[in-house]
Amino acid sequence: MTSGTMRDMTRAEAAEYISNAYFPCSPKTLAKIACQGNDGPPFRKVGSCPLYPQSGLDEWACAKFGPLVRSTSELSEAA
């Protein structure tokens, strides 16, 4: 890695990043998603440690947001 390049984040760092930038998220949530589903943020393993790139966290978090609505009745129309 060169200086100025973002380094991958540990699970705790990734959860903190998501919580600060988007919505509440815990390391346990990321661990559960990694084990039970395929809809979580991308990561790579280094030994037993999962590492998350910031770009993958940003894409995953943004994909979780629904459309802007003014009323809950609009949600069924947007789906």
Side-chain angles (χ1 to χ4, degrees), residues 13-78:
E13 291 169 331
E16 182 178 359
Y17 173 77
I18 293 168
S19 294
N20 289 336
Y22 297 101
F23 48 79
C25 183
S26 75
K28 289 182 179 185
T29 298
L30 293 177
K32 184 175 181 179
I33 293 170
C35 291
Q36 294 184 346
N38 61 355
D39 63 340
F43 63 92
R44 63 179 53 91
K45 296 277 285 209
V46 176
S48 63
C49 182
L51 297 176
Y52 296 82
Q54 181 178 337
S55 60
L57 294 170
D58 291 331
E59 284 181 34
W60 175 75
C62 288
K64 293 292 189 189
F65 287 97
L68 287 174
V69 295
R70 295 185 186 276
S71 167
T72 56
S73 63
E74 293 179 37
L75 290 174
S76 59
E77 296 170 14

